[in-house]
Amino acid sequence: MTITRISFIGLIFIAQAFCTEYRIANQSAFDTYRKSAFSAGDRILFQRGQVFNGSFAPSGSGTAAAPIVIDAFGAGNLPVIHGNKAPDTTGYATLYLHNSQYWEINN
């Protein structure tokens, strides 16, 4: 029984260790990550003062304990994402989340 508990605790620490922070500071980075798959605990941070063009349509789901977070970093005005009404696979959405759970959107 003790070995099972140690293994279980070890798995929790391993799962938390694989969270990634993505800092999107320019249009090139936005284009790279705008349709990427993210995992529980990941943080997607947009540079304050920047303007990004196109739909942001990530995939993946977080968990209740480790949501996927979208937020801002740096100083200045909040970042702006212009969907620009340019249809692509997401239609006209600026932010498009489909069949995704446990996302937290700030700023």
Side-chain angles (χ1 to χ4, degrees):
M1 186 72 162
T2 303
I3 293 173
T4 303
R5 286 184 186 168
I6 291 171
S7 297
F8 181 71
I9 290 170
L11 288 176
I12 291 172
F13 291 125
I14 290 171
Q16 291 177 348
F18 290 111
C19 303
T20 303
E21 183 172 281
Y22 300 87
R23 290 184 173 236
I24 300 175
N26 55 45
Q27 186 66 44
S28 177
F30 180 84
D31 292 340
T32 297
Y33 293 112
R34 68 189 206 101
K35 292 185 181 179
S36 293
F38 296 96
S39 301
D42 284 352
R43 295 176 48 83
I44 306 154
L45 307 177
F46 292 92
Q47 173 74 51
R48 288 180 175 266
Q50 295 296 312
V51 176
F52 305 98
N53 294 298
S55 296
F56 190 70
S59 60
S61 290
T63 66
I68 299 170
V69 176
I70 296 176
D71 209 339
F73 77 95
N77 294 328
L78 290 174
V80 175
I81 300 173
H82 288 294
N84 293 339
K85 295 188 178 181
D88 57 17
T89 58
T90 63
Y92 297 106
T94 297
L95 173 61
Y96 182 76
L97 297 172
H98 180 71
N99 289 335
S100 299
Q101 298 177 339
Y102 296 104
W103 282 76
E104 179 182 314
I105 303 166
N106 303 310
N107 294 310

